[in-house]
Amino acid sequence: MRDSCKVSIVLLLVLINGVFGDNPYRFFTWKITYGNIYPLGVKQQGILINGQFPGPHIDAITNDNIIISVFNYLKEPFLISWNGVQQRKNSWQDGVTGTTCPIPPGKNFTYVIQVKDQIGSFYYFPSLAFHKAAGAFGAIRVWSRPRIPVPFPSPDGDFWLLAGDWYKTNHYVLRRLLEAGRNLPLPDGVLINGRGWGGNTFTVQPGKTYRFRISNVGVATTLNFRIQGHTMKLVEVEGSHTIQNVYSSLDVHLGQSYSVLVTANQAPQDYYIVVSSRFTRKVLTTTSILHYSNSRKGVSGPAPSGPTLDIASSVFQARTIKRNLTASGPRPNPQGSYHYGLIKPGRTIILANSAPWINGKQRYAVNGASFVAPDTPLKLADYFKIPGVFNLGSIPTSPSGGNGGYLQSSVMAANFREFIEIVFQNWENSVQSWHISGYSFFVVGMEGGQWTQGSRAKYNLRDAVSRSTVQVYPRAWTAIYIALDNVGMWNIRSENWARQYLGQQFYLRVYTSSTSYRDEYPPPKNALMCGRARGRHTRPI
């Protein structure tokens, strides 16, 4: 397809879908291909975007419209999802199997996304077929609008660190292992921005302060981040400005993103930037280099060690991460002007993860339901009222207490503008990481043992951090408050990608009877149709 034709099609789509007002547009064209990569010194088949591994960064300003035309040159279907981007009123663009038909080989799809009322650090990733273990992920930075105050001076530089565990085994082999009902081994290493030990250099000027945006884009392990000889001031978590605590190291659980400020205030030389695995018997470690511009001395000594199996220190750190109540968010009003602690939740949902064997194979489940993707995206089936794709209530709102499980295209019902409490209960011996698409939520509590109604006495009802991905420690619980102000079909999933792939996820249908564009946008005119929705049409032009 010629470039001029591509541009014309994209502009036509924007005009047709012109529901985002007069906010600026940013256009991207991405070509998804296979390519050879060597991140741990072994040749692998990676998934590249425009020939890059990781993929290109996206920079936007609050309320910008991002138009991304994705051309799939793989031999299998492909989708991209946008971790932390809320897709306000527009779950059609979320890029997961419950909302969006995959892009067939040799075809393209244009995402039309608005970063409505958002700031902060996020990332995108491929959501199908265990592609996440092959690449096609990248960083998203959403900057504040010029007149909105930010609670720290403008840094002298802004760096992205996409850190994640990595397998030397190709993704399709890992996928076959999972489909055979086998657990994956420990990953082979850790990458920073797609490279192994010493593969990246970040150059800084003495006395200057820099922002490091850290995302855990891995598939299996919590990571710890630290910089030799330097401290880090936390300023933002997944779009929420935080109290500016100082840390010597920071735990970043699967799917999470943080922003820290680092001042180059040490003797001019090179220092290790270290990322290592947490809660693993064998510690996986990688490094990059913090290079002072006037340095004449390379890194020296061993890379500084970090915490390993200790859980108590991680829990303590998590409780210190709180919301900055006086800082502005994407709007000029202070973040603390929303008093979530004064709102009584209308109901409580308890979600318990488990690892049942079903039909002789290892699966993972939520409240006993192990998710299987239907032949038709749930959102399309809901819109077109296609019977037999899913049933509301196919997953209970609390665990039954049994150890078994069942296969189900599980969807839980919820109403627009509900304010609810969700408790993630973890009786397993591993740390869990949970993500909710379409939302940020308040992390009001986390403790060991069984959650009870009496646990609410220890909730933080004043300055809990607001985020989209939260950890649950072994044999413990984490509680959140969430205002269901975003209509759509939203994925609630494990960020451990083997668990997600084998069923530890479901969809929350946030429903309103209104058909007004004020509450939810209609399906895009370029929506792909698949499964039982094939041949259907969205709206007449």
Side-chain angles (χ1 to χ4, degrees), residues 176-217:
R176 287 199 294 264
L177 288 173
L178 292 171
E179 291 169 350
R182 297 169 60 184
N183 287 313
L184 297 183
L186 184 72
D188 296 297
V190 177
L191 305 182
I192 298 174
N193 292 350
R195 298 183 178 184
W197 191 278
N200 301 275
T201 299
F202 300 89
T203 300
V204 296
Q205 301 288 331
K208 302 290 188 180
T209 298
Y210 298 83
R211 183 174 184 172
F212 285 80
R213 301 174 188 252
I214 311 146
S215 293
N216 185 339
V217 298

Coordinates of all heavy atoms in Angstrom, one line a residue, residues 176-217:
R176 N 3.7 -23.6 23.6 CA 3.4 -25.1 23.5 C 3.5 -25.8 24.8 O 2.7 -26.6 25.2 CB 4.2 -25.7 22.4 CG 3.9 -25.4 21.0 CD 4.4 -26.4 20.0 NE 5.8 -26.4 19.9 CZ 6.6 -25.7 19.0 NH1 5.9 -25.0 18.1 NH2 7.9 -25.8 19.0
L177 N 4.5 -25.4 25.6 CA 4.7 -25.9 26.9 C 3.4 -25.7 27.8 O 2.9 -26.5 28.5 CB 5.9 -25.4 27.6 CG 7.3 -25.9 27.1 CD1 8.4 -25.1 27.8 CD2 7.5 -27.4 27.3
L178 N 3.0 -24.4 27.8 CA 1.8 -24.0 28.5 C 0.6 -24.8 28.1 O -0.2 -25.3 28.9 CB 1.6 -22.5 28.5 CG 2.6 -21.6 29.1 CD1 2.4 -20.2 28.8 CD2 2.6 -21.8 30.7
E179 N 0.4 -24.9 26.8 CA -0.8 -25.6 26.2 C -0.8 -27.0 26.5 O -1.8 -27.7 26.5 CB -0.9 -25.3 24.7 CG -1.3 -23.8 24.4 CD -1.1 -23.5 23.0 OE1 -0.6 -24.3 22.2 OE2 -1.6 -22.3 22.6
A180 N 0.4 -27.6 26.8 CA 0.5 -29.0 27.2 C 0.3 -29.2 28.7 O 0.3 -30.3 29.2 CB 1.9 -29.5 26.8
G181 N 0.0 -28.1 29.4 CA -0.3 -28.2 30.8 C 0.9 -28.2 31.7 O 0.9 -28.7 32.8
R182 N 2.1 -27.7 31.2 CA 3.3 -27.7 31.9 C 3.6 -26.3 32.4 O 3.3 -25.3 31.8 CB 4.5 -28.3 31.1 CG 4.3 -29.7 30.7 CD 5.3 -30.2 29.6 NE 6.6 -30.0 30.1 CZ 7.7 -30.3 29.3 NH1 7.5 -30.7 28.0 NH2 8.9 -30.1 29.8
N183 N 4.3 -26.2 33.6 CA 4.8 -25.0 34.1 C 6.0 -24.5 33.4 O 6.8 -25.4 33.0 CB 5.0 -25.0 35.6 CG 3.7 -25.1 36.4 OD1 2.8 -24.4 36.1 ND2 3.7 -26.1 37.3
L184 N 6.2 -23.2 33.3 CA 7.5 -22.7 32.7 C 8.6 -22.7 33.7 O 8.3 -22.5 34.9 CB 7.3 -21.3 32.2 CG 6.2 -21.1 31.0 CD1 6.2 -19.7 30.6 CD2 6.5 -22.1 29.9
P185 N 9.8 -22.9 33.3 CA 11.0 -22.8 34.2 C 11.2 -21.3 34.6 O 10.6 -20.4 34.0 CB 12.1 -23.4 33.4 CG 11.8 -23.1 32.0 CD 10.3 -23.2 31.9
L186 N 12.2 -21.1 35.5 CA 12.6 -19.8 35.8 C 13.2 -19.1 34.5 O 13.9 -19.8 33.7 CB 13.7 -19.8 36.8 CG 14.2 -18.5 37.4 CD1 13.2 -17.8 38.2 CD2 15.5 -18.7 38.2
P187 N 12.9 -17.9 34.2 CA 13.5 -17.2 33.1 C 15.0 -17.3 33.1 O 15.6 -17.5 34.1 CB 13.0 -15.8 33.2 CG 11.7 -15.9 34.0 CD 12.0 -17.0 35.0
D188 N 15.6 -17.1 31.9 CA 17.1 -17.2 31.8 C 17.9 -15.9 32.2 O 19.1 -16.0 32.5 CB 17.4 -17.5 30.4 CG 16.9 -18.9 30.0 OD1 17.3 -19.9 30.6 OD2 16.0 -18.9 29.1
G189 N 17.2 -14.8 32.2 CA 17.9 -13.6 32.5 C 16.9 -12.4 32.6 O 15.7 -12.6 32.7
V190 N 17.5 -11.2 32.7 CA 16.8 -10.0 32.8 C 17.3 -9.0 31.8 O 18.5 -8.9 31.6 CB 16.8 -9.3 34.2 CG1 16.1 -8.0 34.3 CG2 16.3 -10.3 35.3
L191 N 16.4 -8.2 31.2 CA 16.8 -7.2 30.2 C 16.4 -5.8 30.6 O 15.5 -5.7 31.4 CB 16.1 -7.5 28.8 CG 16.3 -8.9 28.2 CD1 15.5 -8.9 26.8 CD2 17.7 -9.3 28.0
I192 N 17.2 -4.9 30.2 CA 16.9 -3.5 30.3 C 16.8 -2.9 28.9 O 17.9 -3.0 28.2 CB 17.9 -2.7 31.2 CG1 17.9 -3.2 32.6 CG2 17.5 -1.2 31.2 CD1 19.0 -2.6 33.5
N193 N 15.7 -2.4 28.5 CA 15.5 -1.9 27.1 C 16.0 -2.8 26.1 O 16.7 -2.5 25.1 CB 16.2 -0.5 27.0 CG 15.6 0.6 27.8 OD1 14.5 0.4 28.3 ND2 16.2 1.7 28.0
G194 N 15.7 -4.1 26.3 CA 16.0 -5.1 25.3 C 17.4 -5.6 25.3 O 17.8 -6.4 24.4
R195 N 18.2 -5.2 26.2 CA 19.6 -5.6 26.2 C 20.0 -6.2 27.6 O 19.4 -5.9 28.6 CB 20.5 -4.4 25.9 CG 20.3 -3.9 24.5 CD 21.2 -2.7 24.2 NE 21.0 -2.2 22.9 CZ 21.8 -1.3 22.3 NH1 22.8 -0.7 23.0 NH2 21.5 -0.9 21.1
G196 N 21.1 -7.1 27.5 CA 21.5 -7.7 28.7 C 22.6 -6.9 29.5 O 22.7 -5.7 29.4
W197 N 23.5 -7.6 30.1 CA 24.5 -7.0 31.0 C 25.3 -5.9 30.4 O 25.9 -6.1 29.4 CB 25.4 -8.1 31.6 CG 26.3 -7.7 32.7 CD1 27.5 -7.0 32.6 CD2 26.1 -7.9 34.1 NE1 28.0 -6.7 33.8 CE2 27.2 -7.3 34.8 CE3 25.1 -8.5 34.8 CZ2 27.3 -7.3 36.2 CZ3 25.2 -8.5 36.2 CH2 26.3 -7.9 36.9
G198 N 25.2 -4.7 31.0 CA 26.0 -3.6 30.5 C 25.6 -3.1 29.1 O 26.4 -2.4 28.5
G199 N 24.4 -3.4 28.7 CA 24.0 -3.1 27.3 C 23.5 -1.7 27.1 O 23.3 -1.3 25.9
N200 N 23.3 -0.9 28.1 CA 22.8 0.5 27.9 C 23.6 1.4 28.7 O 24.1 1.1 29.9 CB 21.3 0.6 28.4 CG 20.4 -0.3 27.7 OD1 19.9 0.0 26.6 ND2 20.1 -1.5 28.2
T201 N 23.8 2.6 28.2 CA 24.5 3.7 28.9 C 23.6 4.9 29.0 O 23.1 5.4 27.9 CB 25.9 4.0 28.3 OG1 26.7 2.9 28.3 CG2 26.5 5.2 29.0
F202 N 23.4 5.5 30.2 CA 22.6 6.7 30.4 C 23.6 7.8 30.8 O 24.2 7.7 31.9 CB 21.5 6.5 31.4 CG 20.6 5.4 31.0 CD1 20.8 4.0 31.4 CD2 19.4 5.7 30.3 CE1 19.9 3.0 31.0 CE2 18.6 4.7 29.9 CZ 18.8 3.3 30.3
T203 N 23.8 8.8 30.0 CA 24.8 9.8 30.3 C 24.1 11.0 31.0 O 23.0 11.5 30.6 CB 25.4 10.3 29.0 OG1 26.1 9.2 28.3 CG2 26.4 11.4 29.2
V204 N 24.7 11.4 32.1 CA 24.2 12.5 32.9 C 25.3 13.6 33.1 O 26.5 13.3 33.1 CB 23.7 12.0 34.3 CG1 22.5 11.0 34.1 CG2 24.8 11.3 35.0
Q205 N 24.8 14.8 33.4 CA 25.7 15.9 33.7 C 25.8 16.1 35.2 O 24.8 16.0 35.9 CB 25.1 17.2 33.1 CG 24.9 17.2 31.6 CD 26.3 17.3 30.8 OE1 27.3 17.8 31.3 NE2 26.3 16.7 29.6
P206 N 27.0 16.3 35.7 CA 27.2 16.4 37.2 C 26.3 17.5 37.7 O 26.1 18.6 37.1 CB 28.7 16.8 37.3 CG 29.3 16.3 36.1 CD 28.3 16.4 35.0
G207 N 25.6 17.2 38.8 CA 24.8 18.2 39.5 C 23.4 18.3 39.0 O 22.5 19.0 39.5
K208 N 23.1 17.6 37.8 CA 21.8 17.7 37.2 C 20.9 16.6 37.8 O 21.4 15.6 38.3 CB 21.9 17.6 35.7 CG 22.8 18.6 35.0 CD 22.1 20.0 35.1 CE 23.0 21.0 34.3 NZ 22.4 22.4 34.3
T209 N 19.6 16.8 37.6 CA 18.6 15.8 38.1 C 17.8 15.2 36.9 O 17.4 16.0 36.0 CB 17.6 16.4 39.1 OG1 18.3 16.9 40.2 CG2 16.5 15.5 39.5
Y210 N 17.6 13.9 36.9 CA 17.0 13.2 35.8 C 15.8 12.4 36.3 O 15.8 11.8 37.4 CB 18.0 12.3 35.1 CG 19.2 13.1 34.5 CD1 20.2 13.5 35.3 CD2 19.2 13.5 33.2 CE1 21.3 14.3 34.8 CE2 20.2 14.3 32.6 CZ 21.2 14.7 33.4 OH 22.2 15.5 32.9
R211 N 14.8 12.2 35.4 CA 13.7 11.4 35.6 C 13.9 10.0 35.0 O 14.2 10.0 33.8 CB 12.4 12.0 35.1 CG 11.1 11.3 35.4 CD 9.9 12.1 35.0 NE 8.7 11.4 35.3 CZ 7.5 12.0 35.2 NH1 7.4 13.2 34.7 NH2 6.4 11.4 35.5
F212 N 13.8 9.0 35.8 CA 13.9 7.6 35.2 C 12.5 7.0 35.4 O 11.9 6.9 36.5 CB 14.9 6.8 36.0 CG 16.3 7.1 35.7 CD1 16.9 8.2 36.3 CD2 17.0 6.3 34.8 CE1 18.3 8.5 36.0 CE2 18.3 6.5 34.5 CZ 19.0 7.6 35.1
R213 N 11.9 6.6 34.3 CA 10.6 5.9 34.2 C 10.8 4.4 34.1 O 11.4 4.0 33.1 CB 9.7 6.4 33.1 CG 9.5 8.0 33.1 CD 8.8 8.4 31.9 NE 8.7 9.9 31.8 CZ 7.5 10.6 31.9 NH1 6.4 9.9 32.3 NH2 7.5 11.9 31.8
I214 N 10.4 3.7 35.1 CA 10.8 2.2 35.2 C 9.5 1.4 35.0 O 8.5 1.6 35.8 CB 11.4 1.9 36.5 CG1 12.6 2.9 36.8 CG2 11.9 0.5 36.5 CD1 12.7 3.2 38.3
S215 N 9.4 0.5 34.1 CA 8.3 -0.4 33.9 C 8.8 -1.8 33.9 O 9.8 -2.1 33.3 CB 7.5 -0.1 32.6 OG 6.9 1.1 32.6
N216 N 8.0 -2.7 34.6 CA 8.3 -4.1 34.6 C 7.5 -4.7 33.5 O 6.3 -5.0 33.6 CB 8.0 -4.8 35.9 CG 8.4 -6.2 36.0 OD1 8.6 -6.9 34.9 ND2 8.6 -6.8 37.2
V217 N 8.1 -5.0 32.3 CA 7.4 -5.5 31.2 C 7.6 -7.0 31.0 O 7.3 -7.6 30.0 CB 7.8 -4.8 29.8 CG1 7.5 -3.4 29.9 CG2 9.3 -5.0 29.6

